[in-house]
Every structure is written in structure tokens, then in C-alpha cells.
Amino acid sequence: QVQLVESGGGLVQPGGSLRLSCAASGSIFSIYAMGWYRQAPGKQRELVAAITSGGSTNYADSVKGRFTISRDNAKNTVYLQMNSLKPEDTAVYYCNVVVVTPNTNEYDYWGQGTQVTVSS
């Protein structure tokens, strides 16, 4: 089993910044990709940003230039630096990790979610 612990959410004013962290622990042979998704009330969960073990990144168009994803492979931790936050960024943010087993099977794991609220 793999456990994900998220931290860093909260309430911030428009234009402010927050940094989310997600640490993975447990039976981890290798992690292929780590990422962040979000879900606002009444909307579907959407990809915010993802990063592979090789460092390739992918961002939603709505956050490009404002958010930066990074990872510390030694700590199995992924970060999301969010700058210039907007009210429309308000959502529950979920960490996602794709773990690879020795026989190359891949499994998805999800964090419990952390609330990000952007409001004056």
C-alpha cells in the first residue's frame, strides 16, 4: 500500500500564493508520475499539473505561467507552487501518484484532498 499526505492548502486573497506538498510513503518500488488535480463544486475533477520521473511537466492552460510543479525524487514528494491565485482557482486539490511495480504494472493513488480558497 501507498499513503499520500498532502499539506499546504488554505485561504488566500486574490493575487496571493500558496505551496502544496504531497509526500508518498509505503510500498514504493518506483514512481513514474506525480501530479495535482482539482475539483470545484459542481465541476469535474481536472488535471492541474503533472511531472514524470524524468522531469517532464504538463500544465492545464488555465494555470500556465502561474503554477509550477516540482518533485523531490529522494523524498517521494511533489510540490505545487501557486502564484497569482484567482478566485476561479478555488477547489479541493488532490495529489495523484502513479506507482510502478517490479513487474511494470502501474497503480494510481490519490491523496485525501486539501482545500484551496481564493477570496477577499
Side-chain angles (χ1 to χ4, degrees), residues 1-4 22-25 27-37 47 49-54 56 69 71 73 76-78 94-102 104-111:
Q1 275 291 354
V2 175
Q3 296 79 41
L4 303 181
C22 174
S25 62
S27 302
I28 299 173
F29 174 72
S30 177
I31 295 177
Y32 168 63
M34 307 181 83
W36 292 93
Y37 288 71
L47 173 69
I51 184 168
T52 67
S53 57
S56 297
I69 191 169
R71 63 188 281 179
N73 290 331
N76 288 334
T77 300
V78 61
Y94 296 91
C95 174
N96 172 261
V97 172
V98 180
V99 174
V100 181
T101 65
T104 69
N105 289 331
E106 294 183 356
Y107 295 92
D108 268 303
Y109 293 92
W110 292 89

Side-chain angles (χ1 to χ4, degrees), residues 7-81:
S7 61
L11 172 64
V12 64
Q13 293 186 342
S17 297
L18 283 175
R19 188 192 195 211
L20 304 182
S21 300
C22 174
S25 62
S27 302
I28 299 173
F29 174 72
S30 177
I31 295 177
Y32 168 63
M34 307 181 83
W36 292 93
Y37 288 71
R38 67 186 180 187
Q39 188 167 19
K43 294 187 177 182
Q44 290 188 333
R45 189 174 297 189
E46 62 175 1
L47 173 69
V48 177
I51 184 168
T52 67
S53 57
S56 297
T57 58
N58 183 32
Y59 293 93
D61 288 342
S62 59
V63 307
K64 284 180 181 177
R66 300 188 298 121
F67 291 10
T68 302
I69 191 169
S70 60
R71 63 188 281 179
D72 184 332
N73 290 331
K75 296 181 179 179
N76 288 334
T77 300
V78 61
Y79 306 96
L80 185 67
Q81 178 65 43

